Amino acid sequence: RLHAMEGVTQYHARDVEAASGSLAAARSLLARLSVSDEQLAHLQAMGYSMQDARRALRFGGHSIEKALDFIQRELRRREDNAAKRKRRDAWARERRRYGRVENGRYVDVEPFDALVGMGYERPLAAEALRQSGNNAAAALESLLDAGRRDALRLAAALRAAEAASAHDARQQRRGRRGGG
């Protein structure tokens, strides 16, 4: 569009040679962007949207095989992004259940995953990190000590019971509002 507009402007400014060059550049770009109706119909018959088919043909250099490769890569990328979003959202919900550490932040996912990977239960690992201020080494030290581990287990159970009680109270309030 820019080259076409430049060409029109140059033509009206009586610079025919520059206008001709800009319009030729616009024609060249348009030729690269346009896709064959036959190829487009072929990809649409395979179940792809017109938008996805057109984009894939452009990125694939007007080759059906390369376009299919492009579409598959894009689908995998979208699925991976959706899975990452789902994991991130699930972690956000889960960490709210575990509470905040003393500095007001939530339990950090990296040391949490490391402790869970070592075989510790999720609530126990979260409580150890919460009590240690997200200090992975201190949390691990607490988990390795049997007495401290039992205290962490008790604290995690109390936190879970408090969360369940708060959830029940919220449900009851919602029930009263909805019924009255």
Side-chain angles (χ1 to χ4, degrees):
R1 290 182 194 167
L2 177 62
H3 289 297
M5 291 297 281
E6 285 175 343
V8 170
T9 303
Q10 292 162 340
Y11 176 79
H12 285 292
R14 308 223 187 285
D15 189 353
V16 177
E17 192 174 310
S20 177
S22 292
L23 290 174
R27 258 191 308 280
S28 170
L29 285 174
L30 182 61
R32 280 193 287 166
L33 291 176
S34 65
V35 294
S36 154
D37 288 340
E38 183 179 309
Q39 290 177 318
L40 195 57
H42 185 72
L43 288 174
Q44 284 182 292
M46 296 173 85
Y48 300 110
S49 71
M50 181 182 292
Q51 181 181 2
D52 285 345
R54 181 174 282 126
R55 185 168 184 253
L57 285 166
R58 287 176 179 163
F59 276 93
H62 303 281
S63 161
I64 293 282
E65 293 80 20
K66 289 180 181 177
L68 287 170
D69 287 343
F70 177 82
I71 288 173
Q72 293 304 312
R73 279 194 313 273
E74 283 296 297
L75 288 174
R76 277 193 302 275
R77 185 186 60 79
R78 288 177 193 164
E79 289 170 356
D80 289 348
N81 287 343
K84 285 178 188 174
R85 247 188 330 277
K86 188 175 180 179
R87 282 191 307 272
R88 186 182 60 234
D89 292 347
W91 169 244
R93 285 188 304 275
E94 183 179 4
R95 74 180 185 173
R96 281 193 294 272
R97 284 196 319 259
Y98 298 140
R100 296 178 186 261
V101 299
E102 60 196 31
N103 65 5
R105 296 180 60 212
Y106 287 109
V107 171
D108 286 340
V109 69
E110 290 84 11
F112 176 80
D113 284 343
L115 292 172
V116 170
M118 291 177 197
Y120 293 105
E121 301 151 21
R122 296 176 80 79
L124 190 60
E127 188 62 28
L129 286 166
R130 198 185 68 69
Q131 287 189 17
S132 70
N134 278 325
N135 181 326
L140 181 58
E141 191 174 308
S142 296
L143 289 166
L144 291 172
D145 181 278
R148 288 166 66 189
R149 186 174 52 248
D150 290 340
L152 288 170
R153 189 169 277 120
L154 179 61
L158 286 173
R159 179 169 301 285
E162 289 172 355
S165 175
H167 176 73
D168 291 345
R170 281 192 304 274
Q171 293 293 57
Q172 286 178 345
R173 283 194 302 272
R174 284 186 192 133
R176 275 187 249 139
R177 276 186 276 167

